[in-house]
């Protein structure tokens, strides 16, 4: 069978992405890891941190390696406790004030450090090998895939209301899932929406549904709300036991939620708890930054980039650009423009995006991408200041 050239621009299909709230067990772990990272960077912008967190019923376990002010190590349990308090956990099975916290954090391995140390500047090597992807498309004003964008937005609105006291009965653990109808590359409406959120024992499913529905409708564009029969709230019927008391959480288990909701490749490396010498994080941010600027410049409707690094080597081993047949510029030429616009050495991209700052705790929930750049440098990789250079 011969497929006509317009098949890929006219066919209809469904695509789904999910998000999880800051009270999801894995996100609690991410929050603690990034909160500790920020404290180290506040004391020493060039501190090294690779920190993992495990959370379960009234227990937090910290592990990993750091290089920074020694006095901070004894403060790590207090930092973890404060992060849990800020999320809002004051439940019998997980309460910030009742946590048993074990600290197994130790000094950074000299074998790992030597890949970065002793060179400096543009000759500084990557902290590890790896491949990192970045993606952008014109489905939303934020140049993000629509399904993950609206999944995040639903939970952000609900959790803002929970913290503001407008939804006092609902808990911090929640998930969302949005399935969109596409025609070609254009999202048309929501086919189905799922919201699961923690609630007290005496609250019925119908009451939870009535409480969250206005926030779902507000999050979606006008006319996009799914049919009533495709709107699922706590589909099992109840969600009383939640958070780390209901399910253990680990740092780095939500990498697809953190990035593009499955609409684009992911290199495999998690972000949270890692200082910016780890290219798993910094190069993934740089790849998103470049892809977003390509689309913002009108050079493509969608763009995927891949960077590859070797431990101890400064130059990227490869830069791959794919505009999915939507590009206005040859992809080889586009790659050359990007190389000229930004120094892709680990040191160069960290300096360009100013990543040696305590800006990471805020990234630990609702996605690392598609967020507004902030005055103190948070989400600097979402800027579109390469547009003129690329044009």
């Amino acid at each position: 069978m011969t497929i006509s050239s317009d098949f890929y621009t006219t066919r209809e299909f469904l695509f789904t992405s999910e998000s999880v709230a800051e009270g999801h067990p894995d996100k609690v772990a991410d929050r603690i890891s990034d909160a500790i990272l920020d404290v180290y960077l506040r004391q020493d912008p060039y501190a090294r941190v690779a920190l993992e967190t495990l959370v379960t019923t009234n227990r937090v376990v910290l592990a990993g390696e750091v290089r920074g002010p020694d006095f901070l190590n004894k403060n790590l349990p207090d930092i973890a406790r404060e992060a849990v308090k800020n999320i809002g956990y004051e439940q019998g099975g997980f309460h910030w004030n009742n946590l048993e916290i074990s600290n197994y954090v130790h000094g950074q391995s000299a074998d790992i450090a030597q890949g970065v140390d002793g060179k400096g500047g543009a000759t500084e090597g990557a902290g590890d090998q790896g491949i990192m992807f970045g993606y952008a498309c014109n489905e939303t004003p934020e140049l993000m895939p629509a399904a993950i964008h609206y999944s995040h937005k639903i939970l952000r609105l609900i959790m803002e209301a929970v913290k503001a006291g407008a939804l006092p009965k609902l808990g911090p653990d929640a998930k969302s899932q949005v399935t969109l109808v596409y025609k070609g590359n254009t999202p048309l409406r929501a086919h189905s929406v799922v919201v699961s959120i923690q609630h007290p024992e005496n609250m019925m499913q119908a009451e939870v549904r009535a409480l969250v529905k206005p926030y779902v409708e507000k999050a979606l564009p006008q006319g996009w709300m799914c049919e009533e029969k495709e709107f699922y709230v706590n589909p099992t019927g109840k969600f009383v036991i939640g958070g780390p008391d209901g399910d253990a959480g680990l740092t780095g288990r939500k990498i697809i939620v953190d990035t593009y909701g499955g609409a684009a490749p992911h290199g495999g490396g998690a972000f949270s708890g890692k200082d910016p010498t780890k290219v798993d994080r910094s190069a993934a941010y740089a790849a998103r930054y470049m892809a977003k600027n390509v689309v913002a410049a009108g050079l493509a409707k969608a763009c995927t980039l891949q960077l590859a690094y070797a431990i101890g080597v400064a130059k990227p081993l490869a830069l791959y650009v794919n505009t999915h047949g939507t590009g206005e510029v040859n992809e080889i030429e586009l790659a050359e423009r990007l190389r000229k616009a930004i120094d892709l050495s680990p040191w160069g991209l960290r300096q360009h995006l100013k990543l040696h700052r305590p800006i990471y705790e805020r990234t630990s929930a609702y996605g690392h991408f598609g967020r507004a750049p902030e005055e103190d440098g948070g989400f600097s990789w979402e800027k579109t200041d390469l547009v003129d250079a690329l044009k």
Side-chain angles (χ1 to χ4, degrees):
M1 181 182 73
T2 302
I3 298 177
S4 64
S5 60
D6 65 349
F7 173 79
Y8 295 103
T9 58
T10 61
R11 69 186 180 114
E12 288 195 5
F13 61 93
L14 303 179
F15 188 81
T16 306
S17 293
E18 70 159 345
S19 179
V20 296
E22 60 207 85
H24 183 282
D26 295 330
K27 284 289 138 197
V28 175
D30 285 345
R31 175 77 170 260
I32 292 170
S33 293
D34 275 335
I36 291 172
L37 169 62
D38 277 354
V39 169
Y40 271 95
L41 293 178
R42 217 169 266 121
Q43 294 293 323
D44 176 3
Y46 299 99
R48 302 282 171 75
V49 178
L51 198 135
E52 311 295 337
T53 302
L54 178 148
V55 295
T56 186
T57 302
N58 271 333
R59 187 170 180 84
V60 173
V61 179
L62 307 175
E65 54 178 36
V66 298
R67 190 178 74 189
D70 290 338
F71 74 89
L72 287 178
N73 191 277
K74 68 178 184 297
N75 296 335
L76 301 192
D78 290 337
I79 299 166
R81 207 176 295 280
E82 184 67 18
V84 173
K85 183 179 181 180
N86 290 338
I87 293 170
Y89 271 111
E90 295 185 343
Q91 301 174 2
F94 199 73
H95 192 300
W96 62 270
N97 197 41
N98 301 331
L99 295 174
E100 181 180 346
I101 301 177
S102 302
N103 181 6
Y104 299 105
V105 177
H106 58 80
Q108 185 186 40
S109 160
D111 292 345
I112 294 175
Q114 71 179 357
V116 178
D117 292 347
K119 295 182 179 180
T123 62
E124 178 186 292
D128 200 354
Q129 70 176 45
I131 57 172
M132 301 84 205
F133 285 93
Y135 181 71
C137 62
N138 63 359
E139 293 180 18
T140 63
E142 294 77 9
L143 304 184
M144 283 288 288
I148 187 67
H149 173 74
Y150 294 117
S151 294
H152 287 322
K153 190 173 182 180
I154 287 169
L155 289 185
R156 282 204 314 272
L157 292 178
I158 291 173
M159 285 303 139
E160 285 170 4
V162 170
K163 288 190 168 185
L167 296 173
K169 294 183 179 180
L170 300 183
D173 191 1
K175 302 177 77 171
S176 66
Q177 185 170 284
V178 175
T179 299
L180 298 181
V181 178
Y182 279 76
K183 185 171 184 178
N185 295 319
T186 303
L188 302 178
R189 60 181 175 83
H191 175 269
S192 63
V193 176
V194 183
V195 177
S196 296
I197 187 164
Q198 196 177 9
H199 61 86
E201 183 74 55
N202 61 356
M203 182 177 280
M204 302 300 292
Q205 185 183 27
E207 186 180 353
V208 180
R209 182 187 185 92
L211 287 174
V212 302
K213 185 176 180 181
Y215 297 93
V216 175
E217 292 175 328
K218 183 178 179 181
L220 296 172
Q222 186 70 33
W224 275 39
M225 185 62 184
C226 62
E227 297 179 20
E228 194 67 20
K229 66 180 181 180
E230 293 293 340
F231 179 42
Y232 304 91
V233 176
N234 289 350
T236 65
K238 63 185 295 188
F239 186 5
V240 175
I241 301 172
D245 188 30
D247 188 12
L250 293 169
T251 302
R253 282 208 301 197
K254 287 292 178 284
I255 58 177
I256 300 303
V257 170
D258 285 344
T259 54
Y260 307 104
H266 191 291
F271 300 155
S272 289
K274 296 178 180 177
D275 75 76
T277 66
K278 281 71 173 176
V279 283
D280 275 344
R281 183 169 216 162
S282 54
Y285 289 173
R288 161 64 180 175
Y289 173 64
M290 291 188 287
K292 184 175 183 180
N293 275 269
V294 167
V295 177
L299 300 179
K301 295 178 181 178
C303 181
T304 298
L305 278 97
Q306 184 201 56
L307 289 165
Y309 291 88
I311 188 168
V313 178
K315 68 174 183 177
L317 304 188
L319 168 62
Y320 162 81
V321 180
N322 184 352
T323 55
H324 307 281
T326 69
E328 301 293 331
V329 178
N330 177 280
E331 290 161 344
I332 295 175
E333 180 185 345
L334 189 53
E336 287 305 309
R337 291 191 192 185
L338 289 165
R339 288 181 185 275
K340 291 177 181 177
I342 179 173
D343 176 1
L344 294 177
S345 70
W347 171 264
L349 61 87
R350 294 202 309 274
Q351 297 306 304
H352 188 101
L353 296 174
K354 297 180 172 58
L355 298 180
H356 290 290
R357 293 180 287 191
I359 55 174
Y360 297 104
E361 185 176 1
R362 70 196 74 170
T363 70
S364 62
Y366 313 119
H368 292 245
F369 307 130
R371 313 281 288 272
E374 298 177 349
E375 288 187 7
D376 68 348
F379 302 102
S380 60
W381 49 94
E382 292 296 317
K383 292 182 177 180
T384 53
D385 51 2
L386 288 185
V387 165
D388 290 341
L390 294 178
K391 284 183 175 179

